Amino acid sequence: MAGNAVFEVSDATFDQEVLQSEQPVLVDFWAVWCGPCKAIAPIVDDLATAYAGKLKVVKVDVDKNGATPSRYGIRGIPALLIFKGGKVADQIVGYVPREVIEEKVNRVLALSPASVN
């Protein structure tokens, strides 16, 4: 369920691919059976292409990878977490329009790493 610019990460690769990334990272926590996840997937794919070079976009299948969602308190999906400098800078739970996601992404991209909690 990942597009060309979107990468699948697992519990084993999460720290390297997300927390140690030089770029901010949008992480999409999803599952195959989740209807809203399927609805938001094309938006996530489009954003990955639109923000190529500025934002890394990855997906975590919560059914195959339980440790990472648990670590970040993911209780509902889809859940989008935006990481910057190895820390959660913003998050969205549930289906939202593209504009809402873009607004949060743009806000995080404008933040200096020191201003992320």
Side-chain angles (χ1 to χ4, degrees):
M1 221 173 129
N4 293 341
V6 180
F7 304 95
E8 286 274 352
V9 296
S10 65
D11 288 340
T13 61
F14 188 85
D15 286 6
Q16 180 182 348
E17 295 294 330
V18 177
L19 302 183
Q20 297 171 16
S21 176
E22 295 291 320
Q23 292 181 322
V25 184
L26 174 66
V27 180
D28 178 9
F29 290 91
W30 70 285
V32 173
W33 49 263
C34 169
C37 298
K38 291 177 184 172
I40 209 168
I43 297 170
V44 171
D45 290 345
D46 286 349
L47 292 174
T49 302
Y51 287 88
K54 292 186 264 181
L55 180 73
K56 184 176 188 178
V57 179
V58 302
K59 290 183 173 273
V60 175
D61 184 334
V62 299
D63 287 337
K64 294 178 182 173
N65 303 281
T68 304
S70 176
R71 184 168 151 193
Y72 291 100
I74 304 299
R75 292 194 191 108
I77 54 173
L80 304 176
L81 271 60
I82 307 169
F83 286 81
K84 187 166 186 175
K87 297 181 179 165
V88 177
D90 212 335
Q91 61 186 352
I92 300 165
V93 178
Y95 178 86
V96 295
R98 178 188 175 120
E99 296 76 28
V100 173
I101 302 169
E102 276 191 297
E103 181 182 312
K104 289 186 179 267
V105 165
N106 287 332
R107 194 174 315 137
V108 170
L109 290 176
L111 291 175
S112 67
S115 61
V116 177
N117 295 340

